[in-house]
Amino acid sequence: MGKASARAANAGIQTEQAIALVRQENDRFSMESGRARRAFVLTFGCQQNEADSEKIAGMAKAMGYEIAATPEGADLIVVNTCAVREHAEKKALSTVGQYKHLKAQNPDLVIAMCGCMVSQQHRAEEIKRRYPYVNFVFGTAALGAFPALLWEWMNTRRRIFRAAEAETAIAEGLPVRRESGYRAWVSIMYGCNNFCSYCIVPYVRGRERSREPEPILAEIRELVAAGYRDITLLGQNVNSYGKGTKAGWDFADLLAEADKIEGDFLLRFMTSHPKDAGKKLIDVMAASRHIAHQFHLPLQSGSNAILAKMNRHYTAEKYLETLDYLREKMPDVTVTSDIIVGFPGETEEDFEETMKMIERAQFDMIFSFIYSPRKGTPAAAMEDQVPPEVTHARFDRLLELQNAIGAEKNRELVGKTLRVLCDGESKNDKATVSGRTEGNKLVFWRGDPAARGNFVRVKITSAEAFALQGELLND
Ligand code: 5AD
Ligand code: SF4
């Protein structure tokens, strides 16, 4: 672990030192009790949170914990929370509520909460008041402080709240325990400066800061050498990567350099912001060897009036220009998007604009969300909040339209042979194997689950809105 990580902890003692101290204590426990302590990490929310949780699990492992698959019998539970919509917050709180009985069974159980929800002052206070069995809380920027906080709790048994602090240094080199042996996340930047008016992220993840390219490239090289086949670069707005770095590269430069790495792997990235997704990036993708022809480009609304109120800084026309260029350069590109339904002041006409854009854009898939007011964001204070019954009716219409488009787009693939990364046995049907295409589409076929983690060739035989069926080609 480098010096940077140690400094980032900034919690009295350094990350590395804290890991060693907790490890000693856990080794002593193992000697006395004949078993290792177990840690359970639960993740809500987006890929960034999943990536953070892999670091939490990595630190826990380095501290001598066995990583458990369930909370029952765990000695340490860490709940990594999301704040992007109210539903995610409610789920995290009710789950932590259920852990109360585990604490009653095992008074030595340590419960910690981290992530976006607890990075809001009002939620941290709520936890302080209403969840007395939560022992310590750390915000997104204090990830590297986790071992030091755990050590502090073990020694003082005083509750610790390090929620809303702006520790902006990036913790480089924290240990990682990856969930998969062939798909990996690589965070390239943290935070967001865009302040879309509905979004809590800039408040809970702080200002945008980018990692230097060298450690990112080194991480990708290591992953490829270790057999990783599908690597996703993560940031809230990857298109503004590089600002404030010593190297001064932009995102297209970083991708072009990563593409030079030899090996059999796919590179993906998310999320792009339509105001910054430029031709240079698309040109680099089209000319690349490893960058998947897949693009997630959140539209949010098709109405220029709503886009302006959302503070998105692009128009529907500008969005379509980017989309058209993308398809011109990569006719096989898979494009997905995010849509928010029921943003304050959304009229029937505004919604019709969104429907028209969906029709025109022909996305392979969309993630649609019902607008959820987030405390402290400008949109939450706007007048004309749309009544739930209106929003729900619009949401259903949107889904119906997109399902038909998605199914049609998928049907275009019938008869084609695609390269698919196999994920092994399908959860519901043991005789079936599943995997993901370069466009990240789900495919099922009959075959050997032992191909898990490898690319196979599958001929598509039928298609629905959310999945493809195919036959394995043995060549
Ligand atoms: N309400 C509903 N959806 C939201 N998103 C972000 N904030 C909100 C909110 N307050 C959606 C956006 C974003 C995706 C990750 O979540 O569509 O792109
Ligand atoms: Fe939120 Fe907008 Fe930043 Fe995305 S770009 S994280 S929607 S503020």
Side-chain angles (χ1 to χ4, degrees), residues 44-344:
F44 291 95
C46 65
Q47 290 83 356
Q48 185 61 61
N49 259 20
E50 286 180 29
D52 286 351
S53 284
E54 290 186 344
K55 295 201 176 100
I56 292 164
M59 288 187 269
K61 204 166 156 237
M63 290 187 279
Y65 290 93
E66 252 171 30
I67 305 302
T70 58
E72 287 76 25
D75 303 276
L76 167 67
I77 297 178
V78 184
V79 181
N80 191 1
T81 61
C82 171
V84 82
R85 282 171 291 276
E86 193 185 6
H87 181 65
E89 296 195 314
K90 284 198 168 145
K91 252 177 33 197
L93 288 171
S94 72
T95 307
V96 171
Q98 288 161 19
Y99 293 159
K100 191 177 177 183
H101 79 276
L102 295 177
K103 192 87 165 196
Q105 287 163 15
N106 173 15
D108 289 331
L109 167 65
V110 180
I111 300 180
M113 291 181 82
C114 64
C116 294
M117 182 184 83
V118 303
S119 301
Q120 304 167 96
Q121 200 63 49
H122 72 281
R123 288 296 188 193
E125 272 156 26
E126 182 180 354
I127 290 157
K128 207 178 265 181
R129 253 192 351 264
R130 293 188 39 214
Y131 298 81
Y133 47 91
V134 172
N135 304 122
F136 67 97
V137 164
F138 54 105
T140 53
L143 196 65
F146 162 54
L149 297 177
L150 176 58
W151 178 242
E152 194 179 325
W153 163 258
M154 283 173 149
N155 283 289
T156 65
R157 299 271 161 164
R158 274 200 303 270
R159 301 176 80 201
I160 316 160
F161 286 82
R162 305 254 306 188
E165 292 171 32
E167 285 169 276
T168 50
I170 293 177
E172 275 299 341
L174 295 178
V176 190
R177 179 186 176 273
R178 299 196 188 266
E179 288 289 325
S180 161
Y182 56 94
R183 292 188 194 276
W185 313 116
V186 174
S187 297
I188 62 166
M189 59 200 296
Y190 299 86
C192 183
N193 286 352
N194 289 315
F195 290 95
C196 301
S197 61
Y198 51 81
C199 187
I200 197 71
V201 168
Y203 306 89
V204 293
R205 284 199 172 267
R207 289 299 62 70
E208 182 184 295
R209 55 238 184 252
S210 295
R211 292 173 71 192
E212 288 294 333
E214 251 332 302
I216 296 173
L217 293 168
E219 190 173 340
I220 300 171
R221 275 189 215 104
E222 257 173 52
L223 288 166
V224 172
Y228 280 84
R229 301 271 183 242
D230 189 309
I231 297 168
T232 305
L233 308 184
L234 291 179
Q236 303 299 339
N237 174 10
V238 291
N239 309 104
S240 70
Y241 169 80
K243 295 199 181 107
T245 57
K246 286 191 222 95
W249 295 12
D250 66 14
F251 183 55
D253 299 330
L254 179 71
L255 275 184
E257 205 55 34
D259 190 54
K260 291 183 187 154
I261 297 170
E262 292 301 330
D264 190 15
F265 68 98
L266 276 176
L267 261 184
R268 306 178 190 279
F269 55 86
M270 66 188 305
T271 297
S272 286
H273 194 304
K275 80 178 163 60
D276 303 314
K279 288 191 170 164
K280 181 177 171 190
L281 165 66
I282 295 169
D283 292 343
V284 166
M285 281 178 83
S288 77
R289 304 179 300 167
H290 298 298
I291 305 167
H293 287 189
Q294 181 223 333
F295 215 97
H296 182 60
L297 196 60
L299 168 67
Q300 311 299 4
S301 169
S303 150
N304 287 338
I306 295 294
L307 286 172
K309 283 180 78 180
M310 286 178 163
N311 196 30
R312 291 288 286 177
H313 295 282
Y314 56 84
T315 58
E317 293 73 23
K318 160 80 180 20
Y319 183 97
L320 285 175
E321 258 174 50
T322 306
L323 186 64
D324 289 347
Y325 190 73
L326 201 56
R327 290 206 169 116
E328 180 193 323
K329 289 283 158 172
M330 292 176 280
D332 63 338
V333 71
T334 295
V335 188
T336 55
S337 199
D338 292 345
I339 303 284
I340 296 177
V341 181
F343 184 84

